[in-house]
Each structure stands twice: as structure tokens, then as C-alpha cells.
Amino acid sequence: MRILVNGEPKTVRPNVTVADLLVELKVSPQHVAVEINRQLIPRRLHGETRLAEGDQMEVVTLVGGG
Amino acid sequence: MNRPLAPLTDEERAIYEWQIWVRDFGEEGQQRLKNASVMISRCGGLGGVVAYELAAAGVGKLVLAHGGCARPSDLNRQLLVTYESLGRPRIETMTRRLLDLNPRLEIVAVGENVNEDNAARLVEQADVVVDCAPMFEERLAMNRQAVLQRKPLVECAMFDLEATITTVQPGNTPCLACWCPSVPPTWKRQFPVFGAVSGTVGCLGAMEAIKLIAGFGQPLFNRMLRLDLRDMTTQTVSLVRNPNCAVCGSLPRA
């Protein structure tokens, strides 16, 4: 299944959850905010939220250095 | 920012001549900068560059918050800290360096970092806030006050060779807490940094503040710009408000 991650096309397993996809992307879930189709997905829902064909996912890394 | 604008002096016209040539800015933009105040939360590797650029650009008043005494490990990036000032309060050398560049500048110098107790009175004194603090506790305190007081807030941050920046307009754009509701548990006080990375995002943050004050260009509303200086790629990520945000969720559109 094809989705967009931060604007880049990516092939992922059908109906993969946000939590599993973050593991595949090697991203720590505690350091990111995730949006799918312009809706923010709270961290507690990462495990039950599944991606669908054509979804647009944004992964925003939280950095705080100043 | 609808109060009458004090006019420029002949000296100011001479100093700012080259930026008054900038399209859509002009003498009125310069007058707006002169009559504006900006609060900068920490003036280290990132905020020090914001402060220096805004002092150079002729912003009338800076409210600066930065605690502690200068340490050797500041010198790779905190451009307002000097070798001679090691061991002395950072805010003193920062203030002096800024006044060396622009003696017309009014500075409110606070020798402490932002916290829940002082955030309200710091934000009160400014038209625009630029958040450059290295701790999420400080960032979230600043964000909460900026939202409560409906002041635009430029959120600049970096880690390693990565930098992010977005601009919050309370009620109209997501605030920091929309997508970062609490302190990320593994974030540490110390982080890898080159001054050239924190300074890059500092320059971008200063330009956001200038655009907000002078009212031209398109600030990073509802967008986060991410730069990776390791491979020199940039990305613009759309951000949306969280309707359940504990800080700004109930705020109506401005």
C-alpha cells in the first residue's frame, strides 16, 4: 500500500498501525507528533490507528535545543 | 500594535537605509520595528543570534531572559558570551554586547530563565515572543502565556544538525502544546550543537519576528519548517490545531 510520509511516497504494509510504522521508520514515538490527513493523532491512539491507501502522514520530530 | 509610531531620526534613516530598500518593508516597516518590543527566552546559541539580529535591525526594545554565569562550554555557540566574561552572569555580557551594536536599544534584562512564575510578566512587556529555550518546561510556560495574552510566538529549536521553526498566532494556528502537550520524557538538558546550526535557526527566527512586526511576507503560520544541515534538505510540514488542546483548544479564532 502506498502512502505519503512527510510528502514522500512510501510503500508500507496494508493497514499498518501508526505505532508499528514509527518502529519501522526508526522514530521514537515519545519524540514525535503524528498527523494523518491533517488530523493530529494523540500518542495514546498510535497503537490502534491504522493507515489506509493514499493517506498523508506527517511525522514531526520534537527537538528543543536552543 | 496600533499606537502612534514614533518617527525615525536622521541617524536611524542612515543606519537602516539598506533594509528600508526591502520590498514591502520601507520606512513604515522600520518605524514599526523602532516602536516594537520582542521578548526572547534565553539568549544562548539560538536566542543570542535572534537578539543580535533584532538589535541590528532596529527593534526598539528587547526583553531578555537568561540565567546563570558564562561557562567555557558556552563559547562554541553563544555568540553574545565572550571569553573575558567567563564566570560572570551571562545576562550582563549579553546586554553589553547588544548595546555596543545598538546604543539606542532599550533592554529589559532578566537574569533568570523562564518559568511558570515569571512568564506572565515577561510576555506582558512584549509585542512578539521568540522562544529559544533548551528545556521544554520553559517552552511550554512561554507558550501558555503567549496564548493567554494572545501574543504571536516564534518557536525555534534545534538538535544536532536538525532545526525546526514554526510561528504561533494564538487562536488561528496550532500552539506548541497542540502537538507537544507535555515535556518529552527523554529530552535532556545537554544536546549536541554547532553554533552554525543554532545560529541558522536564530536568523530565521529573527526574520519571522521582523515580518510579524512590520506586517509583510508570509510567516510560518500552520507550517513547520525543518532543516537538516547534515544532508542539506528542507521540509515544510503542515500543522493543524488540536481541538482538545489544554492550552488553546477553547480559544476562538482571532
Side-chain angles (χ1 to χ4, degrees), chain A residues 31 35 38 40 61-65, chain B residues 133-134 157-158 178 186 226 238 240:
Chain A
H31 277 119
E35 282 179 14
R38 298 184 57 77
L40 193 84
T61 314
L62 303 180
V63 296
Chain B
M158 55 72 53
C178 282
T186 50
R226 300 174 63 195
S238 297
V240 285

Side-chain angles (χ1 to χ4, degrees), chain B residues 3-171:
Chain B
R3 51 186 181 258
L5 298 177
L8 302 181
T9 63
D10 288 343
E11 183 191 54
E12 286 165 340
R13 264 189 211 97
I15 290 174
Y16 303 114
E17 183 183 14
W18 288 34
Q19 71 192 36
I20 288 172
W21 295 338
V22 169
R23 181 166 56 86
D24 299 336
F25 179 72
E27 183 155 334
E28 192 187 330
Q30 192 61 50
Q31 269 182 277
R32 287 183 194 276
L33 293 189
K34 174 179 179 170
N35 288 271
S37 54
V38 177
M39 196 261 144
I40 304 170
S41 167
R42 290 226 210 179
C43 303
L46 206 169
V49 171
V50 174
Y52 207 60
E53 290 291 353
L54 294 183
V59 168
K61 176 179 166 184
L62 295 180
V63 181
L64 311 174
H66 199 123
C69 291
R71 285 193 286 222
S73 63
D74 296 344
L75 293 176
N76 82 317
R77 66 191 183 284
Q78 300 198 15
L79 298 186
L80 297 182
V81 172
T82 58
Y83 186 82
E84 279 198 336
S85 71
L86 288 178
R88 302 227 296 275
R90 294 185 181 105
I91 196 75
E92 288 176 11
T93 170
M94 289 166 175
T95 303
R96 194 175 62 247
R97 293 284 311 280
L98 293 167
L99 290 173
D100 278 350
L101 176 67
N102 179 354
R104 300 166 306 282
L105 185 62
E106 181 188 345
I107 296 181
V108 178
V110 178
E112 52 190 52
N113 298 327
V114 167
N115 55 50
E116 293 287 350
D117 297 327
N118 64 14
R121 70 179 151 81
L122 290 168
V123 173
E124 265 166 21
Q125 301 176 71
D127 301 313
V128 172
V129 179
V130 187
D131 194 3
C132 309
M135 301 299 290
F136 279 93
E137 289 85 350
E138 295 168 61
R139 287 182 181 273
L140 289 167
M142 192 93 290
N143 175 72
R144 190 170 302 116
Q145 277 305 321
V147 170
L148 280 173
Q149 299 185 33
R150 291 203 166 226
K151 302 275 175 81
L153 170 74
V154 182
E155 268 295 325
C156 326
M158 55 72 53
F159 180 88
D160 198 84
L161 265 64
E162 186 186 339
T164 62
I165 174 168
T166 182
T167 298
V168 177
Q169 193 182 55

